Amino acid sequence: MAPEPDNLCCPGLADPVLSEAGAEELAQALKALADPVRLRLVHIVASAGEACACDLPALVDRSQPTVSHHLSTLVKAGILGREQRGKWAWFWVEADQLSAVREALTLS
Amino acid sequence: MAPEPDNLCCPGLADPVLSEAGAEELAQALKALADPVRLRLVHIVASAGEACACDLPALVDRSQPTVSHHLSTLVKAGILGREQRGKWAWFWVEADQLSAVREALTLS
DNA sequence: TTCTTGTATCGATGTTTGTCGATACGATAA
DNA sequence: TTATCGTATCGACAAACATCGATACAAGAA
């Protein structure tokens, strides 16, 4: 396959541009965004500034448990913030985290 | 759950910011990027400008079929370009597609 | 406290996905 | 042509995931 273990055919190919750990972390954030329902949830919340969970199942046409699971995924990934207000759960977009993902996708 | 079918508790929540089809398409591109091995492949290729497939299995520590499968996923998503040169397959980053993904992640 | 209601968790299921060994395809070399 | 070698495809398998119904939890209302 390759000519030699450490005599690569392409120059500059040995530099660890993106570490294994860094790739794992970025992939985790991208995975949270790489679902059509979650993308729509993020856009809906972003366009409203804030949104309470009560409206979201109807807007994305999914069951309440499914939406809850997706929201929890997005919160865990740091893309959405969450706050309980009375009996309602409110969500907003963590713009910084989204920017970080965007910038991590900027290659040299 | 929600107060009324079309009397939402949050203003501006009914606008279809991101269509279902648009979400599906963007999710597809993000899914192609949302894997640590594929992310490292993209970064390796980007840092070298071009890379032939021969070196990549060793650099990402995966078998040749696995790397071939990942490269094919990235090419299908439009993130990598591919050209056969003699018996070697060469890859490069399609910067435009990557920029498009980045921009699609910019909310308002 | 008891009742009501919004949200999260549990359990199950069908689908997708990352991975590899074996094998087929393709292009150069002999 | 035949042999060699780089790459893609096939088949299989385990792990991850999206989804939902049922149920548990939590917070206000009565």
Side-chain angles (χ1 to χ4, degrees):
Chain A
M1 194 170 300
E4 299 287 328
D6 43 14
N7 179 17
L8 303 172
C9 75
C10 319
L13 230 52
D15 315 341
V17 207
L18 181 62
S19 72
E20 258 179 87
E24 200 78 46
E25 189 182 335
L26 178 54
Q28 205 58 32
L30 287 170
K31 224 172 267 200
L33 289 168
D35 177 90
V37 172
R38 285 196 291 270
L39 277 177
R40 288 168 63 207
L41 287 172
V42 169
H43 276 250
I44 289 168
V45 171
S47 79
E50 285 180 318
C52 79
C54 58
D55 294 319
L56 300 176
L59 288 175
V60 300
D61 197 35
R62 290 295 186 283
S63 73
Q64 180 270 321
T66 295
V67 170
S68 177
H69 168 252
H70 283 312
L71 289 171
S72 144
T73 297
L74 289 166
V75 170
K76 187 178 302 177
I79 292 161
L80 291 188
R82 192 205 118 108
E83 191 186 36
Q84 191 82 23
R85 296 185 195 159
K87 60 205 304 186
W88 293 281
W90 286 77
F91 296 86
W92 59 90
V93 173
E94 296 283 6
D96 288 354
Q97 173 71 359
L98 207 53
S99 298
V101 172
R102 255 199 335 266
E103 283 184 22
L105 247 41
T106 307
L107 307 183
S108 64
Chain B
M1 197 171 301
E4 298 287 328
D6 42 15
N7 179 17
L8 304 172
C9 74
C10 321
L13 229 54
D15 314 342
V17 208
L18 181 61
S19 70
E20 257 180 269
E24 199 78 46
E25 189 182 335
L26 178 53
Q28 204 58 33
L30 286 171
K31 227 173 266 204
L33 289 168
D35 177 89
V37 172
R38 286 197 290 271
L39 278 177
R40 287 168 63 208
L41 288 171
V42 169
H43 276 249
I44 288 168
V45 171
S47 80
E50 287 181 317
C52 78
C54 58
D55 293 320
L56 299 176
L59 287 174
V60 299
D61 197 34
R62 291 296 185 283
S63 74
Q64 179 270 322
T66 295
V67 170
S68 177
H69 168 252
H70 283 313
L71 289 171
S72 143
T73 297
L74 289 166
V75 170
K76 188 179 302 180
I79 292 161
L80 291 188
R82 193 204 117 109
E83 191 185 35
Q84 190 83 24
R85 297 186 195 159
K87 60 205 307 186
W88 292 281
W90 286 77
F91 297 85
W92 60 90
V93 174
E94 296 282 8
D96 288 355
Q97 173 70 0
L98 207 54
S99 298
V101 172
R102 255 198 337 266
E103 284 185 22
L105 246 41
T106 307
L107 307 183
S108 64

